[in-house]
Amino acid sequence: MIQIQNLNRHFGGRFRQAKVSAIAGLDLTIQPGELFGLVGPDGAGKTTTLRILAGILKPSSGTATVNGHDVVDDAEAIKQELGYMPQQFGLYPALTVDENLNFICDVFGVFGNAREQRIQELLDFTNLHEFRGRLGRQLSGGMQKKLSLTAALVHHPKVLLLDEPTTGVDPVARREFWDILTMLHTEGSTVIVSTPYMDEAERCNRVGLMYDGQLMVCDTPNAVKRMLPGMMFALRADNLMLAENVLKTVEGIHDIQPYGDVLNLLVEDESVGTRITACLHDAGVKIESLRPAPPRLEEAFIYFVRQFSTNHVQEVSA
Amino acid sequence: MSGRVLNIAWKDMLHLWHNRTLLILVIFGAACELLLVGWATGAEIDDLKTVVIDHDQTAISQGLIDALGAASALTLNEDAVSDLTKHNTRDAALDDTFTGGNFIFNPDNVLVVEIPAGFGAQLTAGEQPQVTLTLNGANSVGSTTARRAAEEVLYTYGAVVLTQNMMEHMGQTPPSADQIVASLESNHPDVVVRYNEELDRAAYTTPSEAAFVLYIIAIMVAAFMLAREREYGTFEQLLVMPQRPIEIIIGKAIPALLVGYANFILVLVEMNVVFDIPVRGSLLLLLVLAIGYLFVELGRGFMVAMIARTQNQALLIVMLMAFVDITFAGYAVPVESMPQVMQALSNLFPIRHWMIILRGILQKDIGLDVLWPQLVWLAALGLIINGITLWFFRRSLAEQK
Amino acid sequence: MTNRHMMAIARKEWLHITRDPMTIFLLAIGPVLMLILVSYAMATDVENVPTVIYDLDQSELSGQLADELDATNVLDVQGYVSSEAAYQDKLERRKTKLVVIIEEGFGEQISTLDGLMSLETAKPKFSFVIDGTDPISAETALEAAMKTSEAFVTGQLGAVLDEQQAAGMADDLITLYRLQLESPINTTVENRYNPDLKAIWDLVPAMIAVALVLPGMSISTVIARERSEGTLEALVATPINKHAILLGKSLPYMITSLINVCLMYVVARVVFDVPFRGSLPLYLLLSALYAFATLSIGLLFSILIPSMEAALWASMMFFLFPGVLLSGMFFPVDVFPFLVKIETIELPVVSGVIINRGMFLQGVGARELWWNIVVLLIIALEGFEIAGRLFKKRIA
Ligand SMILES: Nc1ncnc2c1ncn2[C@@H]1O[C@H](COP(=O)(O)OP(=O)(O)O)[C@@H](O)[C@H]1O
Ligand SMILES: [Mg+2]
């Protein structure tokens, strides 16, 4: 369905501007019916990738096809079968919800009863009914996102590209959003969604971890977590601040992440556990509990970024 | 206070710096305009299409045609007559039914000179032949210029032919045409033209344009800059900053002031170098007064931004306003010729006073002893306009907070 | 398909225009407003030019000359000055634009025939000083002053001749003198289309063309607006045809332009009493063509200049300055130097002014205006074509 081969895109480089490489050598294949998550921090190149797939940005080199259409030569054909939701609010702030949706229906040729039905359906879906008369700019951030999604769905697209659909959306709405995406997925749509949130990535059937314009890992969430070497410990203690400082010096600990009153520790193997207990005891920290915990994508991601950037630095210096 | 003002000014300067297209337009746009307008209007008028219908067909009428053709303002449209006869298989020149009306409908032709049959004979006999000039009233400036040129030619040519003929008739050797022309000229009263000795149009339009440059840039920078913030909601950002309204206004005025001023200097230099229009009066005074004027117009620019809800509206309002301002600046029609009400009204437009100051210093070398009323007007208008703007600004701040 | 897309865009754009009362007001009434305001103020002929007399002769005849000058429409004699410094001062303070200096011996000179006898004594004993800053009104004032004063002098001398003839002067000599007084050739001047040379007849049709630049300016920011609002990204990601986008965006502006043409036509006829001598259907058609050409240029600006602020500036600089000052409204375009003339051909407003004046005053039709029609067609189609070619459905 989607094939990306050795894709590159850089910006700038003219008029003494610094040259930025937004995507560097991206390879990716996405099958029909997937719910694919493109995960990465700000500036990783997610938006650039999605824009290229949507046919609105030319790659600097490399090829990409969507439904067999090339993104450069056949961009208009792609747009027929595509629903694209940009990261920014892409609808008209000076028009009402209804007017915006009518405009999209006009564009895609959805008329008459079919239009009324489709709009009803989508508004049910996104709970926007009571805001139909409100101007785009008067909607809250979350509602704007929902409206953008609605607009992207009007014409039953085969492929959906969603760029950070849940950024700036409250947790309840976020859950609703993902329910919608899951539903679309089960209905058989191909959905590609970019997100900076790791917990969301867990809900995809496959994720690609993107960093600095490259795909570090690409697999199912469980497989990605399994790639993580070592294991996780969850630590509860009376003085977490002190504990964190102490543990920084302990060998065999890859990563320390505070989560409320828990400290998540990524360690080489189980044997590190005894060392931790000892060190904390020496420092006078009282341990409430120290248990093995299941690793999450977040830890995996951070681990891979570390790996990747040290490799990267080595490559560059070599 | 000054630090916080400069904060805002700096932010706007950065904005300008990052938008290169805008930067180039802002800095060089006005100078290019001036070149174009100066060149266009400064040219000698020498291309007014004139058709001559010669019903006389004598050596004397031919001489008149040549004299008309030699006039620098006129260009004979020689094909017009033959084109017409081609279609009509008649000889237009000899057919009395052909008049100016047959040619003047063509928007190209500005003037038709119709030489009557018997012109030569009547002229030499001193019988004052009747020549008809048909003007294209749809092009009034062109046709008026053409008429003046033609009348001048007719008078001189007639006097030369007539005098030479009379002298011969009386058995004296006639003076040469040049001598006659010289004596005719000495018969005219003297005319001294002040301030623009050659009656050069460029010397009129380019200072006007220079005045407009300062005016429009001040208005545009101020109006568009603030309208942008309002449209994109960054206005909110301004509101949460610790600056007081007056500080915000001044902060925003500084970049506009710099840009407007830079343009003004560029335009002054260009006028001097390209169009040879020097500053005859005190340059220092002009430069100082320009700052004052800029402040007045900046106030109006901000006012536009407070009225407009989007940048597009600001654009339309500025255009409408500029038109009215240019009218009342006395550019196209002298204010003295306007109806009394309009004349009184014209005092309310700062550009009117600025135009007087600019021309006065630039061309007449006069100083504050003469220009003080304009200065008082500008100061009063500036206070009122900026007062209203500040009030508007405070009100919208209060609304948003 | 393209049609559907175009209507979709047009409908949306129309909503945008009509959403905000201020925008619809500015677009629908702005040009008419401009026409009325500017015409009222500007449609003034050069008249009442303030004039002072510096009379060194102090004779009865010099007083009569002053009265004659005052009797013209163009000049307004405001009084006498008693020294050179005094008129100098008045010139500087713009209290006067024209000074008539009557030298000593003026009255005497025109009461005898001496002046007609030899060149030495012929020099007229009056002269003018004029403020030349505004050359066009200076020339008009000067012409009026010259004509009036020369007519006065000729009339006086004619009267003297009549007396001499009655007193038995030789006929030959009388004829010779008379010839010198009278102009050798009489001229009849016929002002076609605008017999009284009413400035307002001249101005209003031109203003109609000029006022229609407002929609053109407005459209020059449409693409920039989509870009700055972030809506362009979603728009270009739809399969909408790009020509449909451009046409659809022009359509509402086309409609407001045509509404304006109709309103301005009525204002011109009813309020300003300007005659309309052409064919109305043709006029509407050509106005539509002119509006389209202006919108094409605006659209081209919109695509060439991606940022909102720069688009605002560019359209202001283009439409206001060359667009208005070089439109042919104030200065005839025929007199511009070659290069500028080439330049002005690209300005639709130049052809617009010619077409409007031609159809209102001259009553000409498509045959006489063919060149301007061709120019407008080329600008409209070519502008649109280039805009279409430059407009990429991409974001960078
Ligand atoms: N139009 C552009 N011009 C210059 N640089 C850009 C542009 N778009 C993106 N970039 C740069 O490319 C990189 C990747 O950006 P983006 O794809 O938006 O990342 P993400 O969506 O993952 O946050 C960033 O460093 C960004 O600054
Ligand atoms: Mg992004």
Side-chain angles (χ1 to χ4, degrees):
Chain A
M1 172 124 305
I2 288 177
Q3 269 185 325
I4 300 176
Q5 266 167 9
N6 194 20
L7 197 68
N8 289 286
R9 170 73 211 206
H10 51 78
F11 291 103
R14 279 191 308 163
F15 305 128
R16 304 204 338 251
Q17 283 170 344
K19 193 159 158 177
V20 182
S21 190
I23 309 182
L26 188 68
D27 289 297
L28 179 64
T29 304
I30 296 171
Q31 301 303 330
E34 277 199 73
L35 172 52
F36 186 87
L38 204 52
V39 192
D42 283 340
K46 306 181 294 291
T47 300
T48 308
T49 310
L50 292 180
R51 282 176 171 166
I52 290 176
L53 290 178
I56 58 174
L57 189 68
K58 267 193 187 170
S60 304
S61 68
T63 56
T65 58
V66 177
N67 285 340
H69 305 296
D70 187 89
V71 292
V72 179
D73 304 332
D74 227 358
E76 293 307 302
I78 294 177
K79 291 173 186 174
Q80 294 281 359
E81 303 161 351
L82 184 84
Y84 174 60
M85 176 180 161
Q87 184 173 351
Q88 276 185 358
F89 183 52
L91 292 162
Y92 296 95
L95 302 189
T96 63
V97 170
D98 251 355
E99 286 164 348
N100 268 305
L101 290 177
N102 277 319
F103 169 61
I104 300 290
C105 288
D106 280 349
V107 168
F108 285 102
V110 183
F111 290 112
N113 279 341
R115 169 183 300 193
E116 198 40 43
Q117 217 178 328
R118 184 70 184 147
I119 290 183
Q120 284 292 341
E121 201 176 295
L122 288 171
L123 290 179
D124 285 345
F125 212 45
T126 47
N127 286 325
L128 279 176
H129 264 299
E130 45 187 313
F131 305 112
R132 292 182 72 159
R134 208 176 273 193
L135 292 184
R137 76 161 71 88
Q138 293 166 345
L139 296 175
S140 72
M143 287 194 271
Q144 287 185 341
K145 291 276 185 189
K146 281 185 188 169
L147 181 60
S148 297
L149 178 67
T150 311
L153 292 176
V154 158
H155 58 298
H156 300 283
K158 285 192 203 156
V159 181
L160 255 179
L161 303 179
L162 310 175
D163 197 357
E164 301 197 15
T166 56
T167 309
V169 173
D170 70 76
V172 180
R174 245 170 86 179
R175 174 151 309 168
E176 282 172 5
F177 234 101
W178 276 93
D179 290 344
I180 295 171
L181 295 189
T182 313
M183 190 146 82
L184 289 167
H185 173 56
T186 48
E187 282 170 4
S189 304
T190 310
V191 182
I192 300 167
V193 51
S194 83
T195 175
Y197 303 127
M198 298 305 147
D199 54 331
E200 292 189 340
E202 306 257 14
R203 301 189 61 161
C204 301
N205 77 329
R206 216 149 64 92
V207 292
L209 299 189
M210 220 180 162
Y211 185 74
D212 216 7
Q214 276 161 300
L215 214 50
M216 301 184 297
V217 203
C218 180
D219 214 325
T220 61
N222 283 331
V224 171
K225 282 184 276 188
R226 258 183 270 120
M227 281 186 219
L228 205 62
M231 62 173 301
M232 286 275 297
F233 276 116
L235 169 74
R236 280 172 193 275
D238 63 344
N239 190 343
L240 281 184
M241 286 262 274
L242 182 60
E244 193 179 345
N245 280 333
V246 171
L247 292 175
K248 269 182 190 158
T249 55
V250 177
E251 230 175 274
I253 299 183
H254 292 309
D255 187 39
I256 307 171
Q257 279 292 325
Y259 268 94
D261 52 359
V262 183
L263 217 50
N264 279 344
L265 308 171
L266 179 62
V267 299
E268 239 160 41
D269 50 47
E270 205 151 355
S271 68
V272 184
T274 47
R275 238 182 292 161
I276 293 174
T277 328
C279 282
L280 288 179
H281 189 79
D282 290 349
V285 177
K286 207 171 143 230
I287 298 175
E288 285 163 14
S289 70
L290 180 69
R291 292 195 204 106
R296 295 170 314 165
L297 263 183
E298 178 141 359
E299 283 79 29
F301 183 79
I302 290 167
Y303 172 76
F304 285 122
V305 168
R306 287 241 171 91
Q307 287 293 102
F308 188 80
S309 37
T310 44
N311 284 350
H312 208 68
V313 171
Q314 280 162 9
E315 268 169 41
V316 172
S317 57
Chain B
M1 143 120 188
S2 69
R4 293 190 296 188
V5 168
L6 288 180
N7 264 345
I8 295 190
W10 181 242
K11 189 206 81 201
D12 280 326
M13 295 298 276
L14 278 182
H15 190 91
L16 191 63
W17 175 248
H18 286 305
N19 191 337
R20 294 301 159 87
T21 325
L22 182 62
L23 190 68
I24 291 173
L25 271 173
V26 165
I27 295 183
F28 295 109
C32 295
E33 299 291 330
L34 184 76
L35 271 186
L36 195 62
V37 172
W39 273 333
T41 53
E44 277 292 307
I45 297 191
D46 60 355
D47 204 16
L48 298 169
K49 285 256 173 61
T50 305
V51 178
V52 184
I53 312 174
D54 182 6
H55 293 308
D56 190 39
Q57 302 277 343
T58 58
I60 292 179
S61 68
Q62 189 55 49
L64 176 60
I65 295 175
D66 293 343
L68 284 168
S72 66
L74 308 178
T75 299
L76 295 189
N77 186 354
E78 280 159 1
D79 302 331
V81 175
S82 59
D83 279 354
L84 197 66
T85 45
K86 235 186 305 182
H87 297 300
N88 289 286
T89 63
R90 289 186 295 183
D91 188 347
L94 296 177
D95 187 333
D96 278 351
T97 60
F98 277 94
T99 63
N102 294 82
F103 300 98
I104 206 71
F105 67 84
N106 181 346
D108 278 350
N109 293 333
V110 174
L111 167 73
V112 181
V113 181
E114 202 183 327
I115 306 175
F119 169 81
Q122 285 175 357
L123 178 59
T124 45
E127 283 168 11
Q128 292 180 298
Q130 194 80 20
V131 169
T132 307
L133 305 180
T134 309
L135 302 180
N136 186 347
N139 178 353
S140 63
V141 180
S143 60
T144 304
T145 315
R147 172 181 59 77
R148 283 191 195 134
E151 281 180 348
E152 174 86 33
V153 170
L154 283 171
Y155 180 74
T156 320
Y157 182 73
V160 168
V161 171
L162 185 58
T163 314
Q164 287 182 335
N165 215 281
M166 291 298 288
M167 299 288 245
E168 258 170 43
H169 195 70
M170 299 194 319
Q172 298 169 358
T173 39
S176 74
D178 287 345
Q179 279 171 316
I180 299 172
V181 172
S183 79
L184 283 175
E185 257 158 29
S186 74
N187 265 320
H188 281 301
D190 287 334
V191 175
V192 179
V193 181
R194 282 290 166 85
Y195 314 126
N196 175 10
E197 289 75 6
E198 308 291 319
L199 284 178
D200 176 9
R201 286 182 184 200
Y204 176 66
T205 53
T206 41
S208 310
E209 179 88 353
F212 294 150
V213 162
L214 203 59
Y215 156 80
I216 200 76
I217 288 193
I219 297 252
M220 283 203 293
V221 176
F224 296 166
M225 203 164 53
L226 203 57
R228 183 190 70 222
E229 305 240 16
R230 277 166 58 88
E231 186 170 354
Y232 296 158
T234 46
F235 199 59
E236 275 178 44
Q237 198 105 71
L238 283 183
L239 305 183
V240 299
M241 295 203 282
Q243 278 90 343
R244 288 185 296 139
I246 181 101
E247 292 173 339
I248 297 180
I249 289 268
I250 295 177
K252 295 213 143 274
I254 289 174
L257 212 61
L258 288 178
V259 166
Y261 212 60
N263 265 291
F264 183 58
I265 290 171
L266 206 63
V267 163
L268 278 185
V269 171
E270 189 175 313
M271 261 188 340
N272 200 343
V273 174
V274 182
F275 295 106
D276 223 7
I277 303 169
V279 180
R280 291 182 179 167
S282 153
L283 183 62
L284 186 71
L285 180 63
L286 187 61
L287 291 179
V288 170
L289 291 184
I291 298 181
Y293 173 66
L294 268 172
F295 263 110
V296 181
E297 294 293 6
L298 283 176
R300 287 176 82 205
F302 288 132
M303 197 143 56
V304 169
M306 302 313 294
I307 296 168
R309 226 165 276 126
T310 63
Q311 295 181 82
N312 209 317
Q313 288 175 3
L315 174 73
L316 293 176
I317 297 176
V318 168
M319 180 74 177
L320 268 174
M321 215 167 79
F323 238 91
V324 177
D325 278 348
I326 290 177
T327 305
F328 283 106
Y331 175 72
V333 183
V335 175
E336 289 82 0
S337 302
M338 291 181 185
Q340 282 297 326
V341 190
M342 297 283 181
Q343 287 193 36
L345 217 56
S346 79
N347 280 319
L348 298 181
F349 292 81
I351 192 168
R352 162 110 183 96
H353 306 290
W354 170 238
M355 198 75 119
I356 293 171
I357 292 176
L358 181 82
R359 282 193 189 295
I361 299 179
L362 204 68
Q363 294 181 296
K364 298 190 180 175
D365 183 17
I366 52 183
L368 282 182
D369 51 327
V370 177
L371 291 173
W372 66 265
Q374 270 64 48
L375 215 60
V376 172
W377 270 111
L378 274 184
L381 288 172
L383 276 180
I384 294 169
I385 290 167
N386 282 298
I388 296 176
T389 304
L390 206 61
W391 177 78
F392 255 119
F393 199 70
R394 283 228 176 84
R395 201 190 58 168
S396 80
L397 287 193
E399 248 170 38
Q400 302 236 357
K401 264 177 181 159
Chain C
M1 182 73 157
T2 307
N3 216 358
R4 188 188 80 214
H5 286 163
M6 187 185 84
M7 288 317 293
I9 296 277
R11 216 167 292 148
K12 184 217 79 176
E13 207 67 24
W14 183 253
L15 283 174
H16 262 126
I17 294 178
T18 50
R19 168 84 350 125
D20 199 335
M22 176 98 88
T23 307
I24 183 72
F25 171 79
L26 285 171
L27 278 175
I29 314 289
V32 183
L33 206 67
M34 194 150 119
L35 174 73
I36 296 177
L37 280 176
V38 173
S39 298
Y40 261 127
M42 267 203 219
T44 337
D45 302 286
V46 177
E47 53 186 36
N48 294 330
V49 175
T51 305
V52 292
I53 314 272
Y54 180 32
D55 188 357
L56 293 166
D57 190 42
Q58 304 279 0
S59 66
E60 192 184 327
L61 285 171
S62 68
Q64 281 178 17
L65 175 61
D67 293 343
E68 289 287 320
L69 290 171
D70 194 28
T72 61
N73 274 336
V74 178
L75 305 178
D76 175 23
V77 174
Q78 301 189 327
Y80 289 83
V81 288
S82 52
S83 72
E84 205 173 316
Y87 74 68
Q88 196 75 15
D89 186 60
K90 276 190 184 290
L91 276 174
E92 279 180 359
R93 287 171 197 270
R94 295 174 316 104
K95 297 279 181 236
T96 190
K97 287 215 165 152
L98 177 68
V99 183
V100 183
I101 303 171
I102 305 176
E103 285 154 35
E104 212 181 325
F106 168 77
E108 206 175 315
Q109 185 190 34
I110 61 171
S111 328
T112 68
L113 292 178
D114 291 351
L116 295 176
M117 303 238 192
S118 74
L119 287 179
E120 285 74 52
T121 49
K123 189 78 209 161
K125 291 201 181 278
F126 59 94
S127 59
F128 304 104
V129 179
I130 190 152
D131 175 348
T133 33
D134 173 359
I136 293 189
S137 56
E139 276 168 15
T140 308
L142 205 54
E143 188 187 18
M146 290 271 214
K147 279 207 164 149
T148 312
S149 53
E150 283 180 358
F152 177 73
V153 169
T154 316
Q156 280 304 314
L157 289 171
V160 176
L161 259 167
D162 287 346
E163 278 169 26
Q164 296 286 341
Q165 193 170 19
M169 200 174 188
D171 269 359
D172 252 14
L173 215 52
I174 294 279
T175 317
L176 192 63
Y177 283 148
R178 268 206 206 289
L179 280 176
Q180 284 191 45
L181 283 184
E182 283 159 358
S183 88
I185 301 172
N186 273 340
T187 49
T188 321
V189 177
E190 182 191 348
N191 267 303
R192 281 289 166 127
Y193 315 125
N194 190 357
D196 305 329
L197 281 180
K198 281 191 200 150
I200 199 144
W201 283 22
D202 208 43
L203 184 73
V204 169
M207 260 316 284
I208 292 180
V210 170
L212 277 185
V213 304
L214 280 179
M217 291 178 78
S218 196
I219 204 175
S220 65
T221 57
V222 282
I223 301 288
R225 193 189 62 216
E226 297 256 2
R227 201 182 292 266
S228 68
E229 283 186 348
T231 52
L232 190 70
E233 185 170 352
L235 187 67
V236 296
T238 63
I240 203 160
N241 177 295
K242 68 177 179 180
H243 286 102
I245 296 183
L246 299 182
L247 272 177
K249 284 194 172 289
S250 319
L251 200 62
Y253 292 93
M254 194 74 194
I255 293 171
T256 61
S257 297
L258 288 179
I259 293 174
N260 270 298
V261 168
C262 298
L263 286 177
M264 289 195 287
Y265 174 82
V266 173
V267 168
R269 298 299 314 275
V270 177
V271 180
F272 294 111
D273 221 5
V274 180
F276 183 84
R277 299 178 174 134
S279 120
L280 196 54
L282 179 68
Y283 178 67
L284 288 178
L285 198 69
L286 292 185
S287 295
L289 174 63
Y290 166 60
F292 186 37
T294 308
L295 291 177
S296 272
I297 297 273
L299 213 49
L300 192 57
F301 264 75
S302 179
I303 285 157
L304 281 175
I305 301 171
S307 93
M308 186 76 181
E309 291 97 321
L312 292 172
W313 273 80
S315 80
M316 199 69 197
M317 296 245 140
F318 177 81
F319 284 108
L320 180 64
F321 284 129
V324 172
L325 300 185
L326 304 185
S327 63
M329 188 161 95
F330 303 130
F331 294 98
V333 178
D334 337 329
V335 307
F336 293 163
F338 182 70
L339 265 180
V340 181
K341 219 185 290 182
I342 296 281
E343 202 67 28
T344 53
I345 285 178
E346 291 157 28
L347 297 173
V349 68
V350 173
S351 287
V353 167
I354 293 177
I355 288 176
N356 267 286
R357 281 188 177 154
M359 297 214 64
F360 267 90
L361 302 180
Q362 289 182 272
V364 291
R367 229 187 55 186
E368 291 80 17
L369 295 169
W370 72 271
W371 166 246
N372 296 298
I373 295 174
V374 169
V375 167
L376 285 184
L377 266 175
I378 292 175
I379 296 173
L381 297 179
E382 206 42 38
F384 196 80
E385 216 265 326
I386 297 175
R389 209 159 345 124
L390 293 179
F391 182 46
K392 298 277 185 317
K393 276 187 67 191
R394 297 189 194 280
I395 54 166

